[in-house]
Amino acid sequence: MKPTQPSIDEFAPLFYVRPDAPPLVIISGDREMELFGRYEEIAYFWRMMKVVGHKETYLYEIDGHDHGAMGEPGFHILKNHIKDILKAREIANDKIKMEVSVPDPDYIFTGTDPLKINVHLQNNNSSNVTGRVIVSLTTDDYQPLKTDSLDMEIGANKSYHQEFIYQHPTPGFYRYTVLFKRNEEVVSEKKFNIGYEPEKINSPIDAKADFKEFWDKSLKELKKVKPNYKLTLVPEASKLDYDMYLVEMRSFGNELIRGYYSKPKKEGKHPVIVEYMGYGSTPYFPNQMWDGFAYFVLSIRGQALNQPTNKYDTWINYGLDNKDNYYYRGAFLDVIRALDFVTSRPEIDSERIAVRGGSQGGALSFVAAALDKRVKVAAPHVPFLSDFPDYFKICSWPKNDFYTYIKNHPESKWEDIYDLLTYFDITNLAQWIECPLRMAIGVQDNVCPPHINFSAYNQVKSEKTWMAFPELGHSVGKEFYNTSMEFIRVKLGF
């Protein structure tokens, strides 16, 4: 084809003239020194982009430079243009506010109501804004369910509101992702979880035939170990209403474990709250201001006060070759040894024992209430160690610790690991709980997700109640502390 013969085909920029293209910066050398007809070609392209309504097409001619020499000054122009475009877009995007609300106070729907969220966009710019709202819904284990995508133009200083509904959900928890995009750039993003009828989540008991026999035998073996309680006063923590003691005692396998005991300075028989700690928590003293209770905070083997003599490496992986050697067999029995300690104390009313704790401590509260009828009330929150098959579909941890174990033990199989974990799954233990129980969850929890919290809770046959904190993750609010203390007081009769 002769250079004097123009052609506009799919290889020519002019073929793609359109008003919704991203910003274009067109740079040419001197028209008398450029490639033949190059300046005129791009000038025509620039003109047609303007004609179709594209507002951000810019044309520059660099005098005195041919096609090869125009590169260096062209880069300087381009860099400054990019800065200006990004700054303008940042300013415009900063003036777009997206709010997403859930028309349920705890983000947990019940009954026949569908899942429902509201998206509100406010354009505080002095010009119209075009964009796209994308709402994606998945199960808590990331199985896609529905995606809605809406293109829109929001007028200057105007707002946009849209309700998004998902009909006929099944009991469980769900993940929403809401995006607002402009020119394929994410301007705003919101991610959150909601729930539907959690008390109907189907996570059946999968205990083995010898499950009860295993724990009966384990408790008998614990009783053979003399605790040899040793109490050492901690003077710096004994200046208020309690004397604080470091407690040392022997547990299953003759393991030395420790805890802190707040002994009331007031005379008489006192109810006691036994508190179990989270996975890898730092040791802390229990309450020191008088509120009517004695307190004992246990450090299970290898953790907290026992960390300096830890021999269990990654606790949750230790002993996965045999249920008799598994870490949590001994740890669960440490939980019972803590109850042995408080009932050995003359100042404790052994008929008024409460247990509580969060995360691992929440799981251990379930364990205590399930394995020992001396527990009269339990107040766990965000409990760990539940419904492992579903747990590992929802969260990367602690599953990644198990992957590491399998990598280092190629002879091990997931099927065998899951079989072993059934003996230490609080979903299976919860069926034995007879005392009143009050549980709290964080709906946004991605460490011990609400699905597994309710897997255990739903197996409890005794009086029970729960509360949810819609915006919290692996924690609960002060409201639960207050209401759970009142719950404990009522159930212990004072």
Side-chain angles (χ1 to χ4, degrees), residues 5 55-56 58 82 99 164 194 219 228 268 270 293 452 468 473 494:
Q5 176 63 53
K55 298 178 180 179
E56 292 187 276
Y58 307 93
I82 289 173
E99 295 181 356
F164 294 87
I194 64 173
L219 291 168
N228 297 328
H270 305 288
F293 292 93
I452 73 162
F494 80 103

Side-chain angles (χ1 to χ4, degrees), residues 389-402:
D390 283 352
Y391 189 6
F392 291 172
K393 293 176 185 176
I394 299 169
C395 297
S396 59
W397 185 88
K399 186 178 183 178
N400 49 14
D401 282 349
F402 287 84

Side-chain angles (χ1 to χ4, degrees), residues 265-278:
K265 292 182 178 180
K266 290 192 176 184
E267 297 293 328
K269 289 274 194 178
H270 305 288
V272 64
I273 295 177
V274 179
E275 186 166 332
Y276 302 112
M277 301 172 68

Side-chain angles (χ1 to χ4, degrees), residues 42-184:
I42 60 177
Y44 184 40
F45 175 60
W46 168 81
R47 176 60 181 163
M48 293 309 297
M49 290 295 290
K50 292 292 186 180
V51 169
V52 299
H54 191 267
K55 298 178 180 179
E56 292 187 276
T57 302
Y58 307 93
L59 174 62
Y60 295 90
E61 179 184 4
I62 302 178
D63 292 342
H65 291 69
D66 62 17
H67 186 72
M70 52 81 67
E72 184 174 346
F75 285 133
H76 178 71
I77 293 172
L78 182 61
K79 182 175 71 172
N80 288 336
H81 241 290
I82 289 173
K83 286 182 179 179
D84 291 341
I85 290 170
L86 291 177
K87 183 177 181 179
R89 179 170 296 176
E90 182 179 340
I91 292 171
N93 289 347
D94 281 347
K95 292 183 178 181
I96 299 172
K97 305 300 180 184
M98 182 173 76
E99 295 181 356
V100 181
S101 62
V102 180
D104 187 281
D106 61 8
Y107 288 20
I108 296 180
F109 294 83
T110 57
T112 59
D113 292 339
L115 303 185
K116 187 184 302 183
I117 66 169
N118 297 306
V119 178
H120 181 86
L121 284 158
Q122 178 67 42
N123 175 22
N124 295 319
N125 290 285
S126 58
S127 59
N128 293 1
V129 166
T130 59
R132 177 179 298 167
V133 170
I134 302 171
V135 178
S136 300
L137 177 66
T138 73
T139 60
D140 57 358
D141 61 350
Y142 301 97
Q143 300 303 307
L145 294 174
K146 184 182 182 183
T147 298
D148 293 304
S149 181
L150 297 175
D151 292 322
M152 67 193 65
E153 181 173 0
I154 310 174
N157 297 306
K158 301 291 185 179
S159 62
Y160 170 88
H161 181 85
Q162 181 66 45
E163 182 180 72
F164 294 87
I165 292 175
Y166 181 71
Q167 298 282 0
H168 311 301
T170 57
F173 286 84
Y174 297 84
R175 300 180 187 271
Y176 268 107
T177 300
V178 182
L179 303 175
F180 180 64
K181 286 186 172 183
R182 296 183 66 205
N183 300 318
E184 298 307 313

Side-chain angles (χ1 to χ4, degrees), residues 459-479:
Q459 299 302 331
V460 176
K461 303 299 189 294
S462 59
E463 176 190 348
K464 60 185 177 181
T465 183
W466 58 270
M467 65 186 305
F469 291 84
E471 297 182 353
L472 295 184
H474 195 53
S475 64
V476 295
K478 185 178 179 181
E479 183 184 359

